[in-house]
Amino acid sequence: PRLTLRQGMVERLLVENGVCVGVETKTGAQYRAKAVVLTTGTYLRGKVIIGELKYESGPNNQQPSIKLSENLRELGFELIRFKTGTPPRIHKDSIDFSKMEIQPGDENPKFFSYETNDPPREQLPCWLTYTSPLTHEIINENLHRAPMYSGAIEGIGTRYCPSIEDKIVRFADKPRHQIFLEPEGMHTSEYYVQGLSTSMPEEIQLQMLRSVPGLENAKMMRTGYAIEYDVIVPSQLWPSLETKRIENLFTAGQINGTSGYEEAAGQGIMAGINAARKVQGKEPVILARSQAYIGVMIDDLVTKGTIEPYRLLTSRAEYRLLLRHDNADLRLTPLGYEIGLISEERYRKFLHKKQTVESEIERLKTTKVRPEPHVQQLLEEAGTAPLNNAVDLVSLLRRPELTYAHIEKISPSPLPLNDEMKEQVEIQIKYEGYIQKQLEQVERMNKMEKKKIPSDIDYGAIRGLSNEAKQNLDRIRPLNIGQASRTPGVTPADISILLVYLEHYGQRKQEAAASRGT
């Protein structure tokens, strides 16, 4: 409902007085808009490279976006060149699975959405094999034809997803590397050769494939390739993903310098939310680093920028004990409901889960269990110490040897708890002390995030700031002291000077306002 789709090659942004008001396609058609979101993937001036072969293209031989990239430069955006790659695809019937190790799917798959109640579909297994000494020999003998080493590739590649050529060179001491055969889908014979990303010439790719155990007769359906593309330097964005240079223009995904899939999806939803809110005259939604991995990623991008395709690793989050799969709904559903993205029915279910978990935790705190024979026997079977006197159920559940399933046997809950609720009860009780410490850290950082920095501040006029801090703060234009403290080149001493300056700045503003009033 209320969605209109159009297909066309956008070549130019329509900009009036520094505001994006629409787009123009290759045919000259113009589409006016109150906000525009660019999600160009790897298509901006895309160039596919396979050995000595180079040609302008997007992924899978789709059209690249050439003119739009040129238009962004004309509008004053700083662009850099990144590179990614993909492995060859092979036909299922040409694989000898008997020489590989099966990698079955999860017995109880987890869903991204809390609204998914469907029974799990049949899981197709992946298969594990390894490169052989012959694979390494083929690659080493043909390195002069590898675009990465011949100088044919300009773009910077993903650190955490190197090509097989790169792995062979950088880890020459390793006798073999893992290769995973992944089915592309339920209704295709195509298999994705994970771990064999390459831009070698086509005939060399086939030799490489057939040197891997189980792939001696492999039939290649699509070659692997490298692709270079333009990205916007992401420090040119506000945390809302609106560009600083042009109002009402938002960018999301690989155009912002990230790798694909999860990173792109996370930015896409936030850019969509904030573009809609901008049109409605509402404040943007900016997720905190303690609130969501999306918040960590966007803050990293807009505050620090990136010199290579950015991948969101859990280690990038300082509050990762709080950012768990099991509590994503507890963290974000209230916000989703507040901004109109969660239905009343979904929200009622969420409140029911939250209340049930809280009630069960309260029951465990107030219910005591005595050292009765059946309790002592269960504790002995679980390998934990017997009771000497009565204790509450929370104290029992905190024991490392015990789970909520043990507590259920000792004292079944009168509440109807599903597995999701039981897991939440157990996690909140077992990790309460650690979670509390992290919440205290978050509160300290929140005080810094609440200290807003005026948008018209002149960093060049602040005496005592280092030149590097002045330049980087002026480039990033942080919204608050927390973001300023994470800006590259800004030291704790610079933050102290900035805090003192802001205090006097506020006083001067008040005095100026008072004098105007008189």
Side-chain angles (χ1 to χ4, degrees):
R2 302 173 68 187
L3 175 67
T4 302
L5 296 177
R6 292 288 184 269
Q7 183 173 317
M9 178 58 74
V10 172
E11 295 199 330
R12 192 168 70 89
L13 298 172
L14 303 178
V15 179
E16 297 173 2
N17 301 317
V19 178
C20 190
V21 296
V23 298
E24 183 174 291
T25 68
K26 191 173 186 175
T27 62
Q30 292 191 351
Y31 296 91
R32 309 287 288 191
K34 293 179 180 175
V36 172
V37 184
L38 286 184
T39 57
T40 56
T42 60
Y43 290 81
L44 272 185
R45 223 161 48 88
K47 182 181 288 184
V48 164
I49 305 164
I50 307 170
E52 295 84 7
L53 176 65
K54 295 170 74 170
Y55 57 93
E56 290 183 341
S57 175
N60 299 327
N61 289 316
Q62 295 185 20
Q63 287 185 63
S65 179
I66 307 298
K67 293 284 183 68
L68 181 58
S69 188
E70 294 170 0
N71 182 232
L72 287 170
R73 287 184 190 277
E74 290 165 4
L75 291 169
F77 286 101
E78 183 186 353
L79 304 183
I80 51 178
R81 196 85 169 143
F82 279 177
K83 164 254 170 190
T84 189
T86 188
R89 272 67 159 182
I90 59 176
H91 199 286
K92 176 183 178 181
D93 295 346
S94 67
I95 303 170
D96 182 356
F97 294 110
S98 68
K99 295 183 179 179
M100 302 180 181
E101 301 170 41
I102 192 168
Q103 306 289 301
D106 293 340
E107 285 185 25
N108 298 302
K110 299 278 189 182
F111 295 103
F112 276 101
S113 170
Y114 284 82
E115 296 186 70
T116 302
N117 297 311
D118 302 335
R121 292 185 303 177
E122 175 197 355
Q123 297 288 293
L124 293 180
C126 295
W127 298 83
L128 173 63
T129 182
Y130 296 87
T131 57
S132 68
L134 179 56
T135 316
H136 296 212
E137 186 181 320
I138 292 167
I139 291 169
N140 281 320
E141 287 180 355
N142 289 279
L143 275 179
H144 62 285
R145 300 187 68 193
M148 280 197 65
Y149 294 94
S150 68
I153 288 179
E154 306 166 30
I156 301 164
T158 311
R159 178 187 299 267
Y160 302 102
C161 192
S163 68
I164 188 64
E165 304 94 274
D166 209 15
K167 283 191 274 192
I168 299 300
V169 171
R170 286 167 56 192
F171 307 107
D173 58 315
K174 303 294 181 189
R176 63 181 191 171
H177 294 278
Q178 289 182 326
I179 303 291
F180 289 92
L181 276 292
E182 303 176 355
E184 287 273 16
M186 300 287 287
H187 308 294
T188 177
S189 296
E190 203 167 58
Y191 267 67
Y192 184 95
V193 189
Q194 176 66 270
L196 208 75
S197 177
T198 182
S199 55
M200 281 285 201
E202 192 166 353
E203 68 275 15
I204 305 300
Q205 289 190 34
L206 193 57
Q207 288 178 40
M208 287 159 52
L209 282 169
R210 291 180 175 173
S211 69
V212 172
L215 302 184
E216 292 87 352
N217 299 302
K219 290 183 180 175
M220 191 159 59
M221 297 177 74
R222 284 191 278 166
T223 56
Y225 58 87
I227 184 167
E228 289 186 334
Y229 55 99
D230 286 347
V231 305
I232 281 180
V233 173
S235 55
Q236 298 170 103
L237 308 173
W238 296 115
S240 63
L241 297 182
E242 183 179 19
T243 67
K244 295 173 181 176
R245 183 170 291 277
I246 295 176
E247 194 177 347
N248 293 1
L249 174 65
F250 296 76
T251 59
Q254 284 164 289
I255 188 175
N256 290 343
T258 62
S259 54
Y261 303 122
E262 298 91 347
E263 291 85 357
Q267 292 171 77
I269 191 169
M270 296 313 299
I273 288 169
N274 286 327
R277 289 178 70 82
K278 186 74 189 281
V279 167
Q280 295 167 345
K282 296 177 181 176
E283 287 295 308
V285 171
I286 298 171
L287 297 176
R289 294 180 71 92
S290 58
Q291 197 176 9
Y293 278 106
I294 291 173
V296 173
M297 170 179 62
I298 293 176
D299 184 66
D300 279 352
L301 289 171
V302 304
T303 304
K304 303 172 185 174
T306 184
I307 58 170
E308 61 188 39
Y310 175 99
R311 174 154 286 171
L312 182 53
L313 309 171
T314 55
S315 58
R316 296 191 191 274
E318 55 271 57
Y319 309 117
R320 53 189 175 277
L321 194 60
L322 304 179
L323 306 182
R324 309 186 309 271
H325 173 275
D326 66 90
N327 71 349
D329 59 339
L330 296 171
R331 287 184 279 117
L332 297 170
T333 304
L335 174 62
Y337 179 71
E338 181 188 328
I339 64 177
L341 293 180
I342 297 291
S343 67
E344 288 289 344
E345 181 187 0
R346 170 77 189 93
Y347 193 56
R348 278 197 302 273
K349 286 181 180 176
F350 162 74
L351 291 177
H352 171 69
K353 172 188 170 179
K354 186 170 181 285
Q355 187 176 353
T356 303
V357 168
E358 289 170 355
S359 298
E360 178 62 2
I361 289 174
E362 188 58 33
R363 182 187 81 87
L364 297 183
K365 286 179 178 177
T366 55
T367 304
K368 289 191 178 290
V369 60
R370 301 183 184 284
E372 297 170 354
H374 76 281
V375 174
Q376 301 289 53
Q377 183 183 349
L378 187 144
L379 296 179
E380 184 183 349
E381 289 171 358
T384 190
L387 297 180
N388 295 321
N389 43 46
V391 298
D392 57 55
L393 292 172
V394 160
S395 299
L396 272 186
L397 186 50
R398 285 198 179 117
R399 293 188 180 189
E401 302 87 358
L402 299 181
T403 65
Y404 185 82
H406 292 108
I407 303 301
E408 277 187 299
K409 291 177 183 176
I410 294 171
S411 174
S413 175
L415 301 169
L417 275 77
N418 59 28
D419 290 342
E420 203 177 279
M421 295 173 185
K422 292 172 186 177
E423 178 190 44
Q424 194 57 226
V425 169
E426 184 169 336
I427 288 171
Q428 287 194 28
I429 288 174
K430 280 189 178 292
Y431 297 96
E432 183 182 16
Y434 299 104
I435 290 170
Q436 189 55 44
K437 282 184 181 177
Q438 198 135 95
L439 287 171
E440 289 167 8
Q441 293 173 352
V442 170
E443 186 53 38
R444 285 195 294 272
M445 180 52 73
N446 281 346
K447 289 177 181 176
M448 296 181 72
E449 304 285 343
K450 286 174 184 173
K451 291 184 187 296
K452 303 297 181 188
I453 299 175
S455 58
D456 60 349
I457 192 168
D458 179 7
Y459 291 104
I462 304 177
R463 293 175 61 185
L465 278 185
S466 69
N467 286 333
E468 184 181 7
K470 287 179 181 179
Q471 290 168 3
N472 288 346
L473 288 169
D474 190 55
R475 177 172 57 87
I476 300 299
R477 309 299 301 178
L479 301 178
N480 54 60
I481 290 294
Q483 191 185 1
S485 70
R486 297 187 294 273
T487 300
V490 176
T491 66
D494 292 320
I495 294 298
S496 298
I497 292 166
L498 183 56
L499 283 168
V500 171
Y501 180 84
L502 288 176
E503 192 172 327
H504 294 305
Y505 183 90
Q507 290 173 0
R508 288 195 300 272
K509 281 266 187 181
Q510 288 176 355
E511 290 166 4
S515 64
R516 283 197 301 272
T518 57

